[in-house]
Amino acid sequence: MKTIGLIGGMSWESTAEYYRILNERTRERLGGLHSARCVLYSVDFAEIERLQVQGRWAEAGEALADAARALEAAGAELLLICTNTMHKVADSVEAAVSVPLLHLADTTAAAVRGAGLRRVGLLGTAFTMEQDFYRGRLAAGGLDVLVPDPEGRALVHRVIYEELCLGIVREESRAAYRRVVEDLVAGGAEGVVLGCTEIELLIGPGDSPVPLFPTARLHAEAAVDAALGPWAPPHEP
């Protein structure tokens, strides 16, 4: 199994989910006591969030590039940025290392296409919902992307930073997210991309009338499959 390098901590709440899913997927693939070969570089999210708010994306990109170089030096053979928003600086991370970066938007788009869908709603931080670095990547992957109205975007963003990243899960926020999802479906969404890795801590399949695409799970499972190679059923004589 190739060693997976994780650029995490943004937030650590969702990075912990990445670690769990990586190991569950590895055990599913290999059985027994097998677990994932991985190394983690966990940044201080307060520092990164400050750079986000101030629009200092080049500095944020260099911070993640430093993390990527450290992971490669530690033996990582495949890299993940364990957050949707910071894929805004994915090019800086890729340029810093010689090992491949598995782009979260690409794994998500592949999953949506694999489900036979094309028109999807997108939930995430304001950066992810409003800027082109992520929506454009999904569109390049063949998807038609819808986002909530301004009020819905503000609500989704606030809950991520003020609640989910702090480990706070509120029923009233779950109900509010359900309403945002319903509005997207009313606008024609055939599925909804949970384009922030923390959102999976709040809502699941039972909260939506259409399929949900949990990006952290999709990303982590795709990483294990890439690290192990294509899966095939056991040979029977």
Side-chain angles (χ1 to χ4, degrees), residues 44-72:
D44 182 351
F45 190 32
E47 297 174 359
I48 299 297
E49 189 269 345
R50 183 172 62 252
L51 296 176
Q52 291 176 343
V53 171
Q54 295 173 354
R56 295 159 61 188
W57 292 102
E59 293 175 59
E62 186 53 38
L64 265 60
D66 286 343
R69 284 188 281 263
L71 288 169
E72 184 174 26

Short mmCIF file of all heavy atoms in Angstrom, two decimals, residues 44-72:
data_model
loop_
_atom_site.label_atom_id
_atom_site.label_comp_id
_atom_site.label_asym_id
_atom_site.label_seq_id
_atom_site.Cartn_x
_atom_site.Cartn_y
_atom_site.Cartn_z
N ASP A 44 -2.38 24.70 12.15
CA ASP A 44 -3.19 25.46 13.10
C ASP A 44 -4.26 26.20 12.28
O ASP A 44 -3.96 27.15 11.57
CB ASP A 44 -2.32 26.45 13.86
CG ASP A 44 -3.11 27.24 14.90
OD1 ASP A 44 -4.35 27.16 14.92
OD2 ASP A 44 -2.47 27.97 15.68
N PHE A 45 -5.51 25.75 12.39
CA PHE A 45 -6.57 26.30 11.54
C PHE A 45 -6.80 27.78 11.80
O PHE A 45 -7.19 28.52 10.90
CB PHE A 45 -7.86 25.51 11.75
CG PHE A 45 -8.95 25.84 10.76
CD1 PHE A 45 -8.65 26.23 9.46
CD2 PHE A 45 -10.28 25.76 11.13
CE1 PHE A 45 -9.65 26.52 8.54
CE2 PHE A 45 -11.29 26.05 10.23
CZ PHE A 45 -10.98 26.43 8.94
N ALA A 46 -6.57 28.25 13.02
CA ALA A 46 -6.76 29.67 13.31
C ALA A 46 -5.88 30.53 12.40
O ALA A 46 -6.31 31.59 11.91
CB ALA A 46 -6.47 29.97 14.78
N GLU A 47 -4.67 30.08 12.16
CA GLU A 47 -3.76 30.82 11.29
C GLU A 47 -4.25 30.81 9.84
O GLU A 47 -4.22 31.83 9.15
CB GLU A 47 -2.36 30.24 11.38
CG GLU A 47 -1.74 30.35 12.78
CD GLU A 47 -0.41 29.63 12.87
OE1 GLU A 47 0.03 29.04 11.85
OE2 GLU A 47 0.19 29.65 13.97
N ILE A 48 -4.71 29.65 9.38
CA ILE A 48 -5.19 29.54 8.01
C ILE A 48 -6.48 30.33 7.83
O ILE A 48 -6.66 31.04 6.82
CB ILE A 48 -5.42 28.06 7.64
CG1 ILE A 48 -4.11 27.26 7.74
CG2 ILE A 48 -6.04 27.94 6.25
CD1 ILE A 48 -3.03 27.72 6.78
N GLU A 49 -7.40 30.25 8.80
CA GLU A 49 -8.67 30.97 8.70
C GLU A 49 -8.44 32.47 8.63
O GLU A 49 -9.13 33.19 7.90
CB GLU A 49 -9.56 30.61 9.89
CG GLU A 49 -10.99 31.11 9.79
CD GLU A 49 -11.19 32.48 10.40
OE1 GLU A 49 -10.31 32.95 11.15
OE2 GLU A 49 -12.24 33.10 10.12
N ARG A 50 -7.46 32.97 9.37
CA ARG A 50 -7.15 34.40 9.32
C ARG A 50 -6.68 34.81 7.92
O ARG A 50 -7.09 35.85 7.39
CB ARG A 50 -6.08 34.74 10.35
CG ARG A 50 -5.75 36.22 10.41
CD ARG A 50 -4.83 36.56 11.58
NE ARG A 50 -3.54 35.88 11.49
CZ ARG A 50 -3.16 34.87 12.26
NH1 ARG A 50 -3.98 34.40 13.17
NH2 ARG A 50 -1.97 34.33 12.10
N LEU A 51 -5.87 33.98 7.31
CA LEU A 51 -5.41 34.27 5.94
C LEU A 51 -6.57 34.22 4.95
O LEU A 51 -6.64 35.03 4.02
CB LEU A 51 -4.32 33.28 5.54
CG LEU A 51 -3.02 33.34 6.35
CD1 LEU A 51 -2.07 32.23 5.90
CD2 LEU A 51 -2.34 34.70 6.22
N GLN A 52 -7.50 33.29 5.16
CA GLN A 52 -8.69 33.21 4.29
C GLN A 52 -9.48 34.52 4.36
O GLN A 52 -9.81 35.11 3.32
CB GLN A 52 -9.59 32.05 4.73
CG GLN A 52 -9.05 30.67 4.49
CD GLN A 52 -9.97 29.59 5.06
OE1 GLN A 52 -10.83 29.86 5.89
NE2 GLN A 52 -9.80 28.36 4.60
N VAL A 53 -9.80 34.94 5.56
CA VAL A 53 -10.63 36.13 5.75
C VAL A 53 -9.95 37.37 5.18
O VAL A 53 -10.61 38.25 4.60
CB VAL A 53 -10.95 36.32 7.25
CG1 VAL A 53 -11.62 37.66 7.50
CG2 VAL A 53 -11.83 35.18 7.75
N GLN A 54 -8.64 37.44 5.30
CA GLN A 54 -7.89 38.60 4.81
C GLN A 54 -7.56 38.51 3.33
O GLN A 54 -6.98 39.43 2.77
CB GLN A 54 -6.61 38.76 5.63
CG GLN A 54 -6.86 39.08 7.10
CD GLN A 54 -5.60 39.08 7.94
OE1 GLN A 54 -4.51 38.73 7.47
NE2 GLN A 54 -5.72 39.48 9.20
N GLY A 55 -7.95 37.41 2.69
CA GLY A 55 -7.68 37.25 1.27
C GLY A 55 -6.21 37.02 0.94
O GLY A 55 -5.79 37.22 -0.20
N ARG A 56 -5.45 36.55 1.91
CA ARG A 56 -4.01 36.33 1.71
C ARG A 56 -3.77 34.88 1.27
O ARG A 56 -3.12 34.08 1.93
CB ARG A 56 -3.26 36.66 2.99
CG ARG A 56 -3.35 38.13 3.35
CD ARG A 56 -3.09 38.43 4.82
NE ARG A 56 -1.75 38.03 5.25
CZ ARG A 56 -1.37 38.06 6.53
NH1 ARG A 56 -2.23 38.42 7.47
NH2 ARG A 56 -0.13 37.70 6.85
N TRP A 57 -4.33 34.56 0.11
CA TRP A 57 -4.34 33.18 -0.36
C TRP A 57 -2.95 32.69 -0.76
O TRP A 57 -2.64 31.50 -0.61
CB TRP A 57 -5.31 33.04 -1.53
CG TRP A 57 -6.72 33.22 -1.11
CD1 TRP A 57 -7.51 34.32 -1.28
CD2 TRP A 57 -7.54 32.26 -0.41
NE1 TRP A 57 -8.76 34.12 -0.73
CE2 TRP A 57 -8.81 32.86 -0.20
CE3 TRP A 57 -7.34 30.97 0.05
CZ2 TRP A 57 -9.85 32.21 0.45
CZ3 TRP A 57 -8.37 30.31 0.70
CH2 TRP A 57 -9.62 30.93 0.90
N ALA A 58 -2.10 33.59 -1.26
CA ALA A 58 -0.75 33.17 -1.62
C ALA A 58 0.01 32.68 -0.40
O ALA A 58 0.73 31.67 -0.45
CB ALA A 58 0.00 34.31 -2.30
N GLU A 59 -0.16 33.38 0.73
CA GLU A 59 0.51 32.96 1.96
C GLU A 59 -0.08 31.65 2.48
O GLU A 59 0.65 30.77 2.96
CB GLU A 59 0.37 34.05 3.03
CG GLU A 59 1.13 35.33 2.71
CD GLU A 59 0.86 36.41 3.73
OE1 GLU A 59 1.15 36.19 4.93
OE2 GLU A 59 0.36 37.48 3.34
N ALA A 60 -1.39 31.52 2.37
CA ALA A 60 -2.03 30.26 2.77
C ALA A 60 -1.52 29.11 1.90
O ALA A 60 -1.27 28.00 2.38
CB ALA A 60 -3.55 30.38 2.66
N GLY A 61 -1.37 29.39 0.61
CA GLY A 61 -0.86 28.37 -0.30
C GLY A 61 0.55 27.95 0.05
O GLY A 61 0.89 26.76 -0.02
N GLU A 62 1.39 28.90 0.45
CA GLU A 62 2.75 28.55 0.83
C GLU A 62 2.78 27.74 2.12
O GLU A 62 3.59 26.81 2.27
CB GLU A 62 3.60 29.82 0.99
CG GLU A 62 5.08 29.54 1.23
CD GLU A 62 5.70 28.62 0.18
OE1 GLU A 62 5.36 28.72 -1.02
OE2 GLU A 62 6.53 27.77 0.58
N ALA A 63 1.87 28.05 3.04
CA ALA A 63 1.79 27.26 4.28
C ALA A 63 1.44 25.81 3.97
O ALA A 63 2.04 24.88 4.54
CB ALA A 63 0.76 27.87 5.22
N LEU A 64 0.51 25.60 3.07
CA LEU A 64 0.14 24.23 2.72
C LEU A 64 1.20 23.57 1.86
O LEU A 64 1.41 22.35 1.94
CB LEU A 64 -1.22 24.22 2.02
CG LEU A 64 -2.42 23.95 2.96
CD1 LEU A 64 -2.53 25.02 4.04
CD2 LEU A 64 -3.71 23.85 2.18
N ALA A 65 1.91 24.37 1.05
CA ALA A 65 3.02 23.81 0.28
C ALA A 65 4.12 23.32 1.20
O ALA A 65 4.74 22.27 0.96
CB ALA A 65 3.56 24.85 -0.70
N ASP A 66 4.39 24.07 2.28
CA ASP A 66 5.37 23.62 3.26
C ASP A 66 4.94 22.29 3.88
O ASP A 66 5.76 21.39 4.09
CB ASP A 66 5.53 24.67 4.37
CG ASP A 66 6.31 25.89 3.92
OD1 ASP A 66 7.01 25.82 2.89
OD2 ASP A 66 6.22 26.93 4.60
N ALA A 67 3.65 22.19 4.19
CA ALA A 67 3.13 20.94 4.75
C ALA A 67 3.31 19.79 3.76
O ALA A 67 3.70 18.68 4.15
CB ALA A 67 1.65 21.11 5.11
N ALA A 68 3.03 20.06 2.49
CA ALA A 68 3.17 19.03 1.46
C ALA A 68 4.62 18.56 1.34
O ALA A 68 4.89 17.35 1.22
CB ALA A 68 2.67 19.55 0.12
N ARG A 69 5.55 19.51 1.37
CA ARG A 69 6.97 19.13 1.29
C ARG A 69 7.38 18.26 2.49
O ARG A 69 8.14 17.30 2.34
CB ARG A 69 7.83 20.39 1.20
CG ARG A 69 7.81 21.05 -0.18
CD ARG A 69 8.81 22.18 -0.28
NE ARG A 69 8.31 23.38 0.36
CZ ARG A 69 7.72 24.40 -0.28
NH1 ARG A 69 7.55 24.33 -1.60
NH2 ARG A 69 7.31 25.46 0.37
N ALA A 70 6.86 18.62 3.67
CA ALA A 70 7.18 17.83 4.86
C ALA A 70 6.62 16.41 4.74
O ALA A 70 7.26 15.44 5.14
CB ALA A 70 6.64 18.53 6.10
N LEU A 71 5.43 16.30 4.20
CA LEU A 71 4.81 14.99 4.03
C LEU A 71 5.59 14.14 3.02
O LEU A 71 5.81 12.94 3.24
CB LEU A 71 3.36 15.14 3.59
CG LEU A 71 2.39 15.64 4.66
CD1 LEU A 71 1.05 15.99 4.03
CD2 LEU A 71 2.21 14.60 5.76
N GLU A 72 6.01 14.75 1.94
CA GLU A 72 6.80 14.00 0.95
C GLU A 72 8.11 13.54 1.58
O GLU A 72 8.53 12.38 1.39
CB GLU A 72 7.07 14.86 -0.28
CG GLU A 72 7.81 14.10 -1.37
CD GLU A 72 7.97 14.88 -2.65
OE1 GLU A 72 7.98 16.14 -2.61
OE2 GLU A 72 8.09 14.25 -3.72
#
